[in-house]
Amino acid sequence: MQSPTRTRAGASLLAAGAAAAALLAGVLSPGVSHAASQENCRPDGLYATPGVDVPYCSVYDTEGREKMGADHQRRVIGYFTGWRTGKNGQPAYLASDIPWDKVTHINYAFGHIDSSHKLSVGADGEKNAATGMTWPGVTGAEMDPALPYKGHFNLLNKFKKQHPDVKTLISVGGWAETGGYFDDNGVRVNSGGFYSMATNADGSVNQAGIDTFADSAVAFIKKYGFNGVDIDYEYPTSMKDAGHPADFPVSNARRGGLNKGYAALMKTLRERLDRAGAADGKHYMLTVAAPSSGYLLRGMETFQVQKYLDYVNIMSYDLHGAWNEYVGPNASLFDDGKDAELASANVYGSAQYGGIGYLNTDWAYHYFRGSMPAGRINIGLPYYTRGHKNVQGGTDGLWGKAAAASCPAGSGLTKCGDGAVGIDNLWHDKDDDGKESPAGSNPMWHAKNLEKGIVGDYVTQYGFPADTRLTGTYVRKYDSTLVAPWLWNSEKKVFLSTEDEQSVAAKADYVVDRGIGGTMVWELAGDYDWNAAKGQYEIGDTLTTSMYEKFKSAAPYGAKKSNSPLPTDAVDITVDFTEFKLGDSNYPITPKLKITNNTSATLPGGTEFQFDYATAAPANASDQSGFGTKVIKSDHTGGNTGGLKGDFHRVSLKLPAWQSLAPGGTAELSFNYYLPVSTPSNWTVNIAGTAYALAGDLGRGTKLVEPGSGPSPSPSPSEPGTPGACTAPAWSATSEYGGGVTVSHASHQWKSKWWTKGEEPGTTGEWGVWQDLGAC
């Protein structure tokens, strides 16, 4: 499930907030009036640096939603790469080619970590694409003379002046530059990159390296006019041989400490950016490109860094490709219960897995939804293909197999898939011997030409003769359950996984319907338009425009972590999930859950805690320590063909009757679950009959109190309706309802929080599917 043969971009449990007392005071105490007004704009669950008045309102509104312009209700984030300069004779993609009115954020790929642990894009000079290169005679690529640097950075800032709602971030790392970097001559330097900057050889945190990098990152974004930093660290996981094979000598030795180093890095970056933002009067953003693979995430504990992020971009692509023999979609939205890779591992037949397939976008979204509001999550879409040749079996290649006789030099693999090559692999990498890496990697504009039987005039720029002819016919196929198109060439037995208007529209609808923050695309240069004059597809913005049109009039995104009201009074009780086993030993996932009472009150035996964890894992979490851990409500049961129906499982656990928890005391239990989940959230604790939130959840509007100091008014789901005015349609036991549907039943109006059928309003409880809107 790792992806050794990938583009330079990269291939694609449970710490509910161990906030220090200083943090709690900084985030949850009233403070001065200006600080309070900025707190009103802080996104739900976002960490705030203690003692710093972070200017959140420069980026967020008073609901904690990002301000992106009147016609941008959801994000459209595009990665813009530095190497498509046109200087090598291949098609260029410059800042002037970006559809600036259709996107909300641009991530420049990539900056790297140099040998001194500083953020860099290489030495200045006319050959430096980021800061020195120019494009004389290219319309739109004229430099802004007011800026002291040239290159892509000059053009990005020139166009930002014309489109001030668009934010730019410097993306650091990527597949090939996580553990090293390319020097000014294009030679890779194996410096250790993120691995050695954040983690020492003995697995301990390298705080000195982190401090150096964080300081350089702040200076970098100020110098070059960026709005924030995007970290593309591939990968801080304890799974062996994950990431780029050239990094294994450094990364594998540090596996046990990578998570700690990653958490320390993100905390330090958040705090340095917050302090810089307070000084500059503008909030600087921190984001990450996160893996979507259940394999990689199993080795990342509970992705504890999510609280430091403005949002997460899920790399929900590279889910299938030539790193193994299993032929399937690059980026399917849903599982179909037939994934050959998962079937070979008996995922569908295992009761422990609950029949949940975890190689799809919907699964990855729900993994992160367990710890973040929907609006702080963006799903990834690929503007490139993955594919195999010599495919055997399957349906038009789908779920077939294609094993290679040998693997690319330097891939680190002894077994791999038979990746498509030649005209079916236009955007290929090269292996250690300088030969083409078989991967079936193509921009979507080339895939569209293959589909139409067209040999574009650009093929000569990629080394093909002008008289190149296609072999066989590339027939477009589409699976509506997976939401995945592909091209199938039955003569060549070539399978190329694609995206097009139909799949992108369906994914955009998914984003809108679930309140998701938006989409991220790798990379903008893969999008297409039809050139009627030439009779071929070329670089364009068809798919990006499709998403923009879907999003521009959408409802605001989901800004709250919980689907149900939580107490506004919070107590300082911390919960940490620790002592995860490493790598392949981490199954089932069995961390220790430590509960620490930082209040002045003793918690008696029997005190109940409740929390939510993501439906990305089945509803079979348990403990082995006498705390009576049990799932008391599930938004989803069974397999996930066609998607997970809801977001959370609600869990209850109680201090054993014989075990009280004195101030400063810690209780510990052994927790147990079977698929990875991000940090469980929406905690409550019932003390002497009063329910409190936990301060470590960093909830908006939460007030830190001591137990027994008097409850705040209980939150109500909404304003009650007018008695006698049931205007909504009557609920029907046989009808299906999507999220956000209002019905009337038993003289009340009810709103569905997610898809449901047959669940009677008023019977599903506070955490159930139906939200009571009041009497009518």
Side-chain angles (χ1 to χ4, degrees):
M1 293 170 64
Q2 308 103 299
S3 305
T5 48
R6 301 181 181 176
T7 66
R8 192 177 174 193
S12 184
L13 236 127
L14 313 172
L23 163 65
L24 301 178
V27 173
L28 298 168
S29 295
V32 298
S33 58
H34 179 65
S37 67
Q38 293 296 332
E39 167 65 11
N40 289 338
C41 298
R42 182 179 62 87
D44 192 19
L46 179 62
Y47 173 99
T49 300
V52 178
D53 183 10
V54 182
Y56 296 114
C57 298
S58 65
V59 171
Y60 297 100
D61 65 18
T62 54
E63 297 296 322
R65 292 189 178 95
E66 188 175 357
K67 297 182 286 191
M68 298 176 284
D71 60 339
H72 288 287
Q73 297 301 312
R74 308 298 172 93
R75 301 182 191 93
V76 178
I77 302 167
Y79 273 90
F80 170 70
T81 63
W83 53 86
R84 304 204 188 281
T85 63
K87 301 295 186 179
N88 62 354
Q90 294 177 0
Y93 191 87
L94 307 179
S96 52
D97 297 309
I98 295 171
W100 285 86
D101 56 339
K102 307 294 178 20
V103 301
T104 58
H105 303 70
I106 297 166
N107 289 352
Y108 180 84
F110 285 107
H112 63 255
I113 301 165
D114 67 17
S115 297
S116 62
H117 300 322
K118 293 181 178 179
L119 173 54
S120 175
V121 286
D124 287 335
E126 63 182 16
K127 293 184 179 180
N128 187 308
T131 62
M133 193 174 286
T134 59
W135 292 267
V138 177
T139 302
E142 301 85 2
M143 294 292 123
D144 182 344
L147 295 171
Y149 44 83
K150 298 182 174 66
H152 291 309
F153 290 179
N154 180 292
L155 294 181
L156 287 173
N157 282 295
K158 182 181 83 168
F159 284 100
K160 274 177 68 178
K161 291 178 183 179
Q162 302 170 30
H163 303 272
D165 287 328
V166 178
K167 303 178 184 75
T168 57
L169 293 90
I170 179 68
S171 186
V172 188
W175 173 247
E177 293 187 286
T178 280
Y181 63 93
F182 293 101
D183 67 15
D184 297 331
N185 297 313
V187 177
R188 190 173 191 270
V189 178
N190 296 323
S191 65
F194 279 110
Y195 296 117
S196 59
M197 177 268 285
T199 310
N200 293 313
D202 63 359
S204 61
V205 171
N206 182 6
Q207 191 61 50
I210 290 170
D211 289 341
T212 297
F213 174 75
D215 287 340
S216 74
V218 169
F220 188 99
I221 64 173
K222 288 188 174 188
K223 179 178 181 179
Y224 293 115
F226 287 97
N227 299 95
V229 180
D230 175 63
I231 298 297
D232 192 359
Y233 182 171
E234 301 184 25
Y235 300 99
T237 178
S238 68
M239 307 307 290
K240 186 175 182 291
D241 290 351
H244 196 289
D247 300 336
F248 292 168
V250 175
S251 60
N252 281 338
R254 291 167 164 79
R255 289 290 171 199
L258 295 184
N259 277 288
K260 288 187 177 121
Y262 187 45
L265 168 64
M266 302 311 292
K267 182 175 186 289
T268 301
L269 277 171
R270 176 77 279 160
E271 293 183 342
R272 300 292 166 89
L273 291 169
D274 282 354
R275 292 190 180 100
D280 296 344
K282 55 185 176 181
H283 174 65
Y284 290 118
M285 305 186 79
L286 178 60
T287 70
V288 300
S292 62
S293 158
Y295 176 86
L296 293 169
L297 290 169
R298 177 154 63 92
M300 293 182 71
E301 299 183 359
T302 62
F303 206 84
Q304 294 95 318
V305 304
Q306 89 287 324
K307 64 186 174 183
Y308 304 120
L309 308 176
D310 287 83
Y311 53 75
V312 62
N313 295 320
I314 309 174
M315 292 188 286
S316 44
Y317 39 72
D318 290 335
L319 296 171
H320 291 288
W323 42 90
N324 64 36
E325 64 181 338
Y326 299 104
V327 179
N330 186 15
S332 64
L333 181 57
F334 299 121
D335 186 61
D336 68 350
K338 302 174 186 176
D339 188 306
E341 182 173 347
L342 298 178
S344 70
N346 195 35
V347 168
Y348 298 122
S350 169
Q352 291 180 332
Y353 287 118
I356 293 176
Y358 50 79
L359 292 178
N360 58 85
T361 300
D362 177 72
W363 181 88
Y365 161 68
H366 281 94
Y367 170 91
F368 288 101
R369 180 67 184 93
S371 61
M372 304 179 79
R376 285 176 56 209
I377 304 169
N378 308 303
I379 65 169
L381 283 79
Y383 283 1
Y384 65 94
T385 71
R386 289 289 185 196
H388 293 78
K389 66 179 185 296
N390 299 319
V391 177
Q392 306 299 311
T395 302
D396 297 320
L398 178 66
W399 305 136
K401 288 188 177 182
S406 61
C407 298
S411 69
L413 296 175
T414 55
K415 288 179 61 178
C416 60
D418 196 0
V421 296
I423 200 69
D424 302 324
N425 195 34
L426 201 71
W427 270 5
H428 64 264
D429 291 335
K430 292 183 179 179
D431 66 19
D432 285 358
D433 294 333
K435 297 178 180 178
E436 174 185 0
S437 288
S441 180
N442 306 280
M444 283 313 163
W445 40 269
H446 180 58
K448 292 297 289 186
N449 284 329
L450 293 178
E451 178 187 341
K452 303 301 183 183
I454 297 168
V455 178
D457 63 4
Y458 52 80
V459 298
T460 57
Q461 298 169 312
Y462 291 89
F464 296 95
D467 61 353
T468 296
R469 297 291 181 267
L470 301 180
T471 300
T473 302
Y474 296 82
V475 180
R476 179 187 181 271
K477 304 291 181 179
Y478 188 83
D479 187 287
S480 58
T481 300
L482 294 167
V483 184
W486 71 96
L487 301 182
W488 173 241
N489 188 317
S490 59
E491 183 173 341
K492 296 169 66 174
K493 303 297 183 187
V494 164
F495 175 102
L496 296 177
S497 178
T498 62
E499 297 287 341
D500 56 25
E501 290 97 319
Q502 184 178 5
S503 63
V504 168
K507 290 180 178 181
D509 286 338
Y510 175 89
V511 166
V512 171
D513 292 345
R514 285 158 181 78
I516 296 172
T519 54
M520 170 273 285
V521 297
W522 178 271
E523 56 166 303
L524 286 169
D527 202 350
Y528 58 82
D529 278 334
W530 173 251
N531 185 329
K534 287 188 175 183
Q536 65 183 31
Y537 286 93
E538 297 176 347
I539 295 174
D541 60 17
T542 295
L543 301 179
T544 301
T545 299
S546 171
M547 288 186 286
Y548 163 76
E549 293 292 339
K550 289 277 189 179
F551 295 161
K552 69 179 182 180
S553 59
Y557 63 63
K560 295 182 178 180
K561 277 201 294 181
S562 177
N563 286 334
S564 297
L566 292 174
T568 56
D569 284 347
V571 292
D572 186 6
I573 297 173
T574 59
V575 288
D576 295 282
F577 290 78
T578 64
E579 299 182 35
F580 288 84
K581 296 183 176 67
L582 302 182
D584 288 326
S585 298
N586 191 27
Y587 186 82
I589 305 170
T590 55
K592 300 290 186 184
L593 169 55
K594 294 182 179 179
I595 302 172
T596 303
N597 180 12
N598 302 308
T599 76
S600 60
T602 296
L603 305 183
T607 296
E608 182 183 23
F609 292 83
Q610 292 187 11
F611 62 86
D612 290 337
Y613 75 91
T615 51
N620 54 3
S622 61
D623 78 76
Q624 305 165 10
S625 311
F627 282 65
T629 298
K630 62 181 178 179
V631 175
I632 58 175
K633 176 70 177 69
S634 290
D635 292 350
H636 179 89
T637 57
N640 62 327
T641 297
L644 293 158
K645 295 183 178 65
D647 298 332
F648 300 119
H649 305 299
R650 189 72 178 167
V651 172
S652 167
L653 60 85
K654 297 178 181 179
L655 293 178
W658 46 267
Q659 182 175 359
S660 61
L661 194 57
T666 295
E668 183 177 288
L669 63 145
S670 296
F671 201 69
N672 194 59
Y673 55 104
Y674 294 92
L675 278 176
V677 298
S678 61
T679 307
S681 59
N682 306 327
W683 286 78
T684 59
V685 58
N686 191 301
I687 304 174
T690 298
Y692 298 92
L694 296 197
D697 260 337
L698 305 174
R700 277 172 52 87
T702 306
K703 180 178 66 175
L704 182 63
V705 301
E706 281 292 330
S709 60
S712 295
S714 297
S716 60
S718 65
E719 292 298 320
T722 303
C726 286
T727 57
W731 171 78
S732 169
T734 59
S735 296
E736 295 184 6
Y737 299 99
V741 177
T742 301
V743 300
S744 59
H745 183 69
S747 298
H748 277 235
Q749 291 198 134
W750 309 83
K751 185 177 180 180
S752 58
K753 301 172 191 173
W754 51 83
W755 182 95
T756 183
K757 180 180 178 181
E759 294 184 87
E760 182 181 357
T763 66
T764 59
E766 177 186 3
W767 303 101
V769 63
W770 290 108
Q771 178 184 0
D772 189 354
L773 300 181
C776 61

